Amino acid sequence: MFSFEGDTGPYLQYAHARLCSIERNCGLVVKPSINFDLLKEKPAIELIDMIAQYPDVVKSALYTLEPCTVVTYAMKLSHIVSVALESLWVMGVESQLAEARLLMFWATRITLGNALKLLGLRPLERM
């Protein structure tokens, strides 16, 4: 129940907390107008694609009355976040690329946080 490995609640919370940490520590402000063409790495594309699926996941859960749909989505999103965070740095890269990645991670944090709230969990900012 308290494991940070595998498909667990703490794993979801940890992914959210890591995304919060990036926003706190990068020294940048989230800007809504960025050059999306800079986000062309495979992990970035996978992450953006996964974020875009969230509205359909919520609709599906509503129609089927199966909250496991949201849980499965949150787990997949957290796994993709973990992979993306290994290679898509915000700090130490050119400023336009950093801003683009920060917006992507911000959108991911909002989406994951909404999924957690939908499941009755309070997203943590620090662990």
Side-chain angles (χ1 to χ4, degrees), residues 38-110:
L38 296 173
L39 299 172
K40 56 188 170 193
E41 301 94 349
K42 184 179 177 186
I45 293 168
E46 289 176 352
L47 194 53
I48 293 167
D49 182 52
M50 193 65 166
I51 293 167
Q53 294 175 30
Y54 184 67
D56 293 332
V57 168
V58 173
K59 287 177 191 172
S60 175
L62 175 65
Y63 293 128
T64 62
L65 299 177
E66 294 179 355
C68 66
T69 306
V70 179
V71 173
T72 301
Y73 172 83
M75 288 296 174
K76 287 180 183 177
L77 181 60
S78 295
H79 288 294
I80 293 172
V81 164
S82 181
V83 170
L85 289 174
E86 289 178 14
S87 60
L88 303 177
W89 293 82
V90 174
M91 294 175 60
V93 297
E94 188 266 325
S95 66
Q96 285 187 339
L97 180 58
E99 290 171 353
R101 288 178 178 174
L102 179 62
L103 181 62
M104 178 186 65
F105 287 133
W106 174 84
T108 305
R109 179 186 62 80
I110 296 297

